[in-house]
Amino acid sequence: MGLHRVDGRFVHVVSALSPLIAPLAPGRSTAPSTEWWGLGLSPTKRRIMNMDMTMGSTLPTWMTPLAWVVLTLALFSSAVIADDIYRRGHRHLTVATELVWIGSGLYLGPFALLAYRRHGRVIPDTSTTMQAAPHGVAAGLPGGTASAAAHLIGVPLVIASGLTIAGIDLWVMIIVIAVLATGMLFVYERSVITPTVGVQDIRRRSAAAALGVAALTVLAFDLGMGGWMLLLHYTETMPPATDAAFWMLMQFGIVLGVITGFPAVRRLQRHRNTPA
């Protein structure tokens, strides 16, 4: 850290000692060079170097290969669910519900397969198993899938834009992800069909009700997801988005969001299923 605050005397000392130190570094030029010590780096390069060294620097090295295994299993799980729905013909009443189950594999991995087999798999021509929306313990999955999709879109978008708040891009990332997730949940709530208790037909939420449900769901969800991202940031354990470990940690955060949002989602779902 002190090497970035140098004066002319220190540079002269380094130049004088370079011929003595150079033999310890094979392949290095014996010519005096402050660049070898990182003193000639531009402010931008130096900032990038510091960021790469500090972001996620406290994470164990084995987390990256583990993350690749976890992410591969997640993609495989989503592919298996998609294959069962579209190739094997276990279609749901709405495409939105199908996407929720497929997306659940992105953050639950193989556990999504278990949940899908128990709560989401539709048997053709059997009305009792034709679920209009995830229910019971699976009620929080729409919020999780919306968050997963919002991360995949929002994180690269924020990084590419370079936008920050108070010099930190995390705040922008949280806001963008929340807005995207709210929009996706709004579309989901508007498209999903819900049987009305004691009534023969079905109903859909109004636009105002769908927006309210989406906003409340994201707010409850962010207690876990947003809190997890802030914890990683302020403990300096947030890896760069180019590291597979970042996306594995985001998977864990989405699961936390599903847990913190579940009570609100269940309450909203019971209200939706109650006759008007």
Side-chain angles (χ1 to χ4, degrees):
M1 293 177 62
L3 294 179
H4 292 166
R5 300 183 180 90
V6 296
D7 55 19
R9 290 176 298 174
F10 183 78
V11 172
H12 288 309
V13 172
V14 172
S15 300
L17 293 178
S18 292
L20 300 177
I21 302 175
L24 300 178
R28 295 285 186 178
S29 171
T30 57
S33 174
T34 59
E35 188 76 29
W36 181 39
W37 290 82
L39 302 178
L41 292 176
S42 67
T44 301
K45 290 182 178 179
R46 190 180 306 159
R47 185 163 53 251
I48 294 175
M49 182 183 68
N50 290 340
M51 181 177 64
D52 289 340
M53 289 190 297
T54 57
M55 288 184 67
S57 59
T58 59
L59 294 176
T61 56
W62 51 260
M63 281 200 69
T64 296
L66 174 64
W68 280 113
V69 173
V70 171
L71 295 177
T72 300
L73 289 175
L75 293 174
F76 175 77
S77 300
S78 290
V80 169
I81 296 175
D83 176 77
D84 187 73
I85 292 174
Y86 295 114
R87 190 177 71 85
R88 297 178 180 272
H90 299 281
R91 300 298 302 269
H92 289 247
L93 294 179
T94 66
V95 174
T97 304
E98 294 171 347
L99 294 178
V100 164
W101 284 108
I102 294 171
S104 68
L106 295 177
Y107 56 95
L108 292 179
F111 294 102
L113 296 176
L114 299 176
Y116 173 73
R117 291 285 178 176
R118 184 175 180 84
H119 301 285
R121 196 167 192 255
V122 170
I123 301 176
D125 302 324
T126 305
S127 59
T128 56
T129 60
M130 290 285 284
Q131 299 297 337
H135 64 293
V137 296
L141 296 184
T145 296
S147 178
H151 274 78
L152 292 174
I153 298 171
V155 171
L157 186 64
V158 172
I159 293 176
S161 69
L163 295 175
T164 62
I165 295 178
I168 301 175
D169 61 359
L170 178 64
W171 299 113
V172 182
M173 205 171 288
I174 291 176
I175 293 172
V176 170
I177 290 172
V179 171
L180 289 173
T182 301
M184 294 176 190
L185 283 175
F186 170 78
V187 173
Y188 170 80
E189 290 292 337
R190 285 286 288 159
S191 63
V192 71
I193 56 180
T194 307
T196 305
V197 178
V199 182
Q200 296 299 321
D201 61 349
I202 56 178
R203 60 174 176 166
R204 299 176 187 269
R205 286 192 189 276
S206 66
L211 182 59
V213 169
L216 289 174
T217 300
V218 170
L219 183 62
F221 190 92
D222 269 350
L223 293 177
M225 180 72 244
W228 174 245
M229 294 179 72
L230 290 173
L231 177 65
L232 292 175
H233 175 76
Y234 286 108
T235 57
E236 297 186 351
T237 52
M238 176 80 83
T242 54
D243 192 334
F246 171 87
W247 297 100
M248 182 181 70
L249 291 173
M250 292 303 101
Q251 286 177 311
F252 184 75
I254 293 172
V255 174
L256 287 178
V258 171
I259 293 173
T260 60
F262 183 77
V265 170
R266 284 290 288 155
R267 186 177 183 86
L268 291 169
Q269 189 179 62
R270 285 196 298 267
H271 177 73
R272 178 174 59 189
N273 292 340
T274 302

